[in-house]
């Protein structure tokens, strides 16, 4: 098969440098018929597919969609990851395909169902002991056999992180 670079080489060699079909055939290692075809036709650009087929995964798509639809009601930390979905398919359903196929489909399905992950973040690094990180959150816990949504407050000083990276003898020093 002729590569894009070879295709360009043949066309430029013929049109700009006036090389013969026989000479181009010898240089590229392709037959003279192939060189003639290249000189007759324009290069056809590859098009990406509009729809990705999943022949091995098709019988399992409905199951994956069902799991992801149930995930909409769950907290973010308790939702299925692509790896967990792949493991469940192998263990519970006898799936024989590859993990990368499942990952690709799950990425598309999560975007379709509105479960897309948030973008990147930039961590802040304040001066030691001058600032703290504060966050409020919600966690689902089981209390007395019933699932309850509990709210919590978390405050963390940067000093703790700084002390954890210092060697033990230096943490006793006063700053």
């Amino acid at each position: 098969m002729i590569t894009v670079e070879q295709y360009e080489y043949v066309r430029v060699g013929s049109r700009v440098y006036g090389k013969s079909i026989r000479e181009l055939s010898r240089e590229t290692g392709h037959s003279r018929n192939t060189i003639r075809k290249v000189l007759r036709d324009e290069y056809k650009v590859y098009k990406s597919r509009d729809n990705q087929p999943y022949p091995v995964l098709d019988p399992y798509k409905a199951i994956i969609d069902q799991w992801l639809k149930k995930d909409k009601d769950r907290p973010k930390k308790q939702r299925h990851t692509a790896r967990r979905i792949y493991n469940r398919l192998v263990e519970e359903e006898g799936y024989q395909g590859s993990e990368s196929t499942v990952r690709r489909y799950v990425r598309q399905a999560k975007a379709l169902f509105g479960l897309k992950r948030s973008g990147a973040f930039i961590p802040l690094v304040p001066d030691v002991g001058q600032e703290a990180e504060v966050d409020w959150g919600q966690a689902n816990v089981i209390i007395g056999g019933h699932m309850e949504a509990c709210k919590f407050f978390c405050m963390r000083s940067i000093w703790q992180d700084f002390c954890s990276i210092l060697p033990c003898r230096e943490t006793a020093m006063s700053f």
Side-chain angles (χ1 to χ4, degrees):
M1 180 175 176
I2 191 163
T3 64
V4 176
E5 292 83 15
Q6 289 174 336
Y7 190 93
E8 182 180 0
Y9 180 82
V10 168
R11 293 179 63 82
V12 170
S14 174
R15 293 186 176 156
V16 176
Y17 299 108
K19 293 183 177 182
S20 67
I21 293 174
R22 181 176 293 210
E23 189 177 359
L24 290 169
S25 174
R26 196 177 329 112
E27 290 175 0
T28 61
H30 293 287
S31 70
R32 289 187 299 227
N33 288 338
T34 302
I35 302 299
R36 285 187 189 97
K37 286 179 187 177
V38 168
L39 292 175
R40 261 190 310 232
D41 300 327
E42 282 294 321
Y43 172 69
K44 293 170 180 59
V45 179
Y46 294 110
K47 291 191 288 185
S48 61
R49 294 184 205 146
D50 295 332
N51 185 11
Q52 172 68 37
Y54 297 100
V56 177
L57 191 63
D58 274 340
Y60 305 99
K61 280 180 167 180
I63 297 168
I64 295 171
D65 292 346
Q66 181 183 8
W67 290 340
L68 291 175
K69 285 177 184 174
K70 286 181 183 177
D71 280 352
K72 287 183 93 169
D73 300 332
R74 294 187 178 151
K76 285 185 181 181
K77 295 280 185 172
Q78 295 177 6
R79 293 179 182 169
H80 281 90
T81 61
R83 173 164 287 185
R84 178 65 184 132
I85 288 175
Y86 171 74
N87 290 337
R88 279 189 72 181
L89 284 174
V90 170
E91 292 169 8
E92 298 173 14
E93 306 295 331
Y95 177 68
Q96 298 280 326
S98 70
E99 184 176 354
S100 61
T101 304
V102 173
R103 286 181 175 278
R104 192 177 321 118
Y105 178 73
V106 168
R107 185 180 327 117
Q108 292 172 351
K110 280 187 173 184
L112 182 68
F113 296 136
L115 295 170
K116 199 171 183 182
R117 293 178 55 184
S118 60
F121 67 94
I122 299 172
L124 299 175
V125 183
D127 293 333
V128 176
Q130 299 298 315
E131 294 183 28
E133 295 176 358
V134 176
D135 197 8
W136 290 267
Q138 182 173 340
N140 292 335
V141 296
I142 299 174
I143 301 175
H146 295 85
M147 183 164 301
E148 293 286 331
C150 294
K151 297 183 183 203
F152 62 86
F153 170 82
C154 179
M155 180 173 169
R156 183 177 80 147
S157 172
I158 193 70
W159 174 251
Q160 294 170 345
D161 293 336
F162 181 71
C163 289
S164 66
I165 61 172
L166 287 176
C168 294
R169 57 186 156 81
E170 294 181 20
T171 57
M173 296 173 54
S174 62
F175 288 94

